[in-house]
Amino acid sequence: MTATTVLTARALLLDMDGTLVNSDAVVERIWRRWADRHGLDGDEVMKVVHGRQGHASMALLLPDRPVEQNLADNARMLAEETSDMDGVVAIPGAREFLHSLRGLPHALVTSADVALSTARMAAAGLELPAVRITAESVGASKPDPEGFLKGAAELGVAPQDCVVFEDSGAGIAAGRAAGMRVVGVGPRAGLHGPDALVRNLTGVRVEAAGGGTIRLHIA
């Protein structure tokens, strides 16, 4: 018999890549090409890039490079990613999960920009939440908590009343730093000790409870 964790919240904040959308194939293609261009080990690069904005990953990987170069490189890579949807699919259960959130407070909080997040959600056949915090919305990338705190503020919900869904170490750290509980999605998340862990979103059932409360049943 599978044990079920029950969490209550007033709002849910959802990462995109690795949480709602499986974009690993394109992320691997583009970042491994970037690693080759800069003489870096592709496997080591892939340990860093998930969850962060591209320029923040570059700052960690090439610490002596000027910020302006990272920003310019990031802009080129975002355009490249936005034009490459080969292999982008929904995480199992994502479509049903988003459908179950209709009418309930929730927001997308992603390190992607507007163009990339719109394209990937469309490629995966997923509807975009009405409230979206993207790269343009923040001054600092995950693991900084700014994006999650802005999402909570947009929804008018206190941070401690939010539950974050995340797949990456940077994202889980950002949710924790925001004072929120975190549900980890997928194998990457399991390495970073989230409050609850699911293989994919088929393991989550959403229930609208009384008094504006959302009850999450996590198997």
Side-chain angles (χ1 to χ4, degrees):
M1 192 170 176
T2 303
T4 299
T5 299
V6 179
L7 298 176
T8 57
R10 291 189 176 276
L12 306 183
L13 302 176
L14 317 173
D15 174 52
M16 182 182 71
D17 292 302
T19 301
L20 297 172
V21 173
N22 183 346
S23 56
D24 281 1
V26 63
V27 171
E28 288 263 348
R29 279 196 297 276
I30 286 173
W31 276 100
R32 285 186 182 276
R33 284 201 297 266
W34 182 88
D36 287 344
R37 286 198 299 272
H38 294 280
L40 299 174
D41 182 271
D43 291 340
E44 293 304 312
V45 167
M46 294 315 301
K47 292 176 184 177
V48 171
V49 300
H50 292 290
R52 292 180 171 85
Q53 292 185 37
H55 64 83
S57 296
M58 293 170 194
L60 291 173
L61 294 161
L62 297 173
D64 297 325
R65 196 164 77 148
V67 172
E68 293 76 19
Q69 278 186 253
N70 291 339
L71 292 171
D73 217 359
N74 184 55
R76 286 191 294 271
M77 288 180 72
L78 280 171
E80 198 177 343
E81 288 183 274
T82 303
S83 67
D84 184 355
M85 292 295 133
D86 188 20
V88 174
V89 296
I91 293 289
R95 194 170 291 108
E96 296 79 7
F97 175 66
L98 287 170
H99 185 79
S100 73
L101 295 181
R102 286 179 178 174
L104 300 175
H106 66 288
L108 187 72
V109 181
T110 176
S111 294
D113 64 5
V114 169
L116 182 57
S117 57
T118 302
R120 281 191 178 157
M121 291 288 280
L126 300 176
E127 60 182 283
L128 277 164
V131 177
R132 300 184 285 278
I133 306 298
T134 63
E136 296 93 337
S137 310
V138 297
S141 169
K142 299 171 186 176
D144 191 282
E146 182 185 0
F148 287 125
L149 292 172
K150 282 199 168 182
E154 286 278 338
L155 295 170
V157 176
Q160 65 267 24
D161 291 327
C162 296
V163 168
V164 165
F165 282 75
E166 263 287 359
D167 74 300
S168 71
I172 291 169
R176 284 229 179 88
M180 302 171 182
R181 291 154 295 156
V182 182
V183 175
V185 180
R188 275 195 297 267
L191 303 173
H192 303 283
D195 296 285
L197 179 66
V198 292
R199 184 178 61 182
N200 55 52
L201 293 170
T202 62
V204 182
R205 182 168 65 84
V206 178
E207 178 188 359
T213 299
I214 302 167
R215 192 173 289 126
L216 299 169
H217 299 266
I218 301 164

